[in-house]
Amino acid sequence: MAGKITRKTPAKQAKRSGPESALKKRARTQRIVALLRENDPDAVCALWHENPLQLLIATILSAQCTDERVNTVTPVLFERYPQAKDLAAADLEDIEQIIRPTGFFRNKAKSIKGAATVLAEKYNGVVPQTLEELVELPGVGRKTANVVLGVAYEIASGVVVDTHVTRLSNRLGLVEGENAVQIEQKLILLLPKEDWIAFSHLLITHGRQVCKAIRPRCEICFLNKLCPSAFKVQPKPRVPKATRRKAR
Ligand code: SF4
């Protein structure tokens, strides 16, 4: 008598095979990176800048703000205050007025003036090249330091973890949770060092174009066969702008 044919559903298969091994996850991550690269070989940092100081300031301004909006204010700021010593001597209110569209402008202006003052006094206006020195500057955390080192100096000090990297790494099943430091540590273990800098640019670009926060476009996503969240993310209802402003 012929044996009974049973069909394995993906859920049953997952149960049977158990959690993904570290080795398999590393291999899947590298496949994801290869596909992202293939589809967007030119993914780069979208913050407009011409030198490490400008990138540092632009990255401080990018907190809770889109890169496009940051790019609308930085040309004015950098033209008026080209060097660290100029920003250090600037009137705080003038910096505030220029950067106002980026939000949280009072805190950001203080950070910019504070960081520029340390750079002018301690580093002769030159942005240092170590994570330890960078995170000592006012308003500069690990994320900003990693951006500056990776993009301006091509030093792979870590993996930049912003909202896009957090969202996509979770959806792709590479990490769990929202803690940026823990996400970075996990990603570092999954990625070869030569991919640390590019990985963030690739994920950020994919997050903007395809794997959007509110409604990911899984139907056109070239990663959908490697992604455990494919076609499973519930689209979030859009929050009206007026409500968003009130919530701040
Ligand atoms: S398949 Fe969907 S959830 Fe997964 S990375 Fe692509 S767009 Fe995002």
Side-chain angles (χ1 to χ4, degrees):
M1 195 178 111
K4 194 178 163 192
I5 300 167
T6 52
R7 283 189 199 285
K8 291 182 205 159
T9 63
K12 274 185 186 166
Q13 273 178 338
K15 243 185 185 175
R16 232 169 250 197
S17 54
E20 187 179 32
S21 70
L23 207 65
K24 280 194 176 157
K25 193 184 270 191
R26 271 181 75 95
R28 186 167 62 88
T29 307
Q30 280 160 37
R31 181 79 192 117
I32 287 169
V33 173
L35 283 173
L36 287 166
R37 261 214 183 94
E38 215 174 285
N39 277 274
D40 194 355
D42 303 321
V44 285
C45 174
L47 290 169
W48 181 81
H49 66 279
E50 286 180 337
N51 57 48
L53 174 67
Q54 292 182 351
L55 179 62
L56 176 75
I57 305 299
T59 312
I60 291 174
L61 289 172
S62 71
Q64 310 287 322
C65 182
T66 63
D67 292 355
E68 292 73 30
R69 185 160 294 195
V70 172
N71 290 344
T72 64
V73 306
T74 43
V76 180
L77 185 69
F78 299 152
E79 196 185 349
R80 196 167 302 174
Y81 304 109
Q83 295 184 43
K85 63 178 168 54
D86 305 318
L87 277 165
D91 179 28
L92 192 63
E93 274 181 26
D94 191 44
I95 300 178
E96 284 176 2
Q97 284 316 307
I98 297 171
I99 67 166
R100 196 182 178 108
T102 67
F104 303 97
F105 62 95
R106 291 211 168 86
N107 279 342
K108 287 180 182 175
K110 261 188 224 144
S111 297
I112 290 170
K113 192 172 160 75
T117 304
V118 178
L119 289 175
E121 289 174 358
K122 195 171 168 187
Y123 298 101
N124 203 21
V126 179
V127 177
Q129 299 193 18
T130 70
L131 193 91
E132 294 71 24
E133 290 169 308
L134 282 166
V135 295
E136 288 295 315
L137 299 172
V140 176
R142 244 193 111 78
K143 189 195 99 178
T144 301
N146 278 334
V147 171
V148 171
L149 291 172
V151 177
Y153 293 129
E154 294 183 17
I155 296 171
S157 55
V159 177
V160 173
V161 177
D162 72 347
T163 53
H164 294 289
V165 175
T166 300
R167 182 177 77 253
L168 267 75
S169 301
N170 273 277
R171 284 182 181 170
L172 287 162
L174 308 181
V175 302
E176 265 177 42
E178 305 282 316
N179 180 302
V181 176
Q182 288 173 8
I183 292 174
E184 186 185 354
Q185 294 314 313
K186 285 178 190 164
L187 291 175
I188 279 173
L189 294 177
L190 287 172
L191 293 159
K193 196 167 183 179
E194 61 266 26
D195 286 340
W196 288 2
I197 298 171
F199 181 75
S200 306
H201 301 318
L202 292 165
L203 237 56
I204 290 168
T205 307
H206 195 62
R208 287 197 182 118
Q209 294 173 350
V210 182
C211 190
K212 298 176 183 241
I214 308 257
R215 195 179 290 272
R217 303 172 69 196
C218 303
E219 67 286 357
I220 60 149
C221 179
F222 52 82
L223 299 178
N224 63 18
K225 290 196 173 58
L226 296 167
C227 176
S229 308
F231 306 102
K232 290 182 191 159
V233 180
Q234 293 297 321
K236 288 185 197 152
R238 283 182 191 280
V239 180
K241 272 187 184 160
T243 320
R244 259 187 260 162
R245 255 184 246 122
K246 264 190 199 167
R248 276 183 189 168

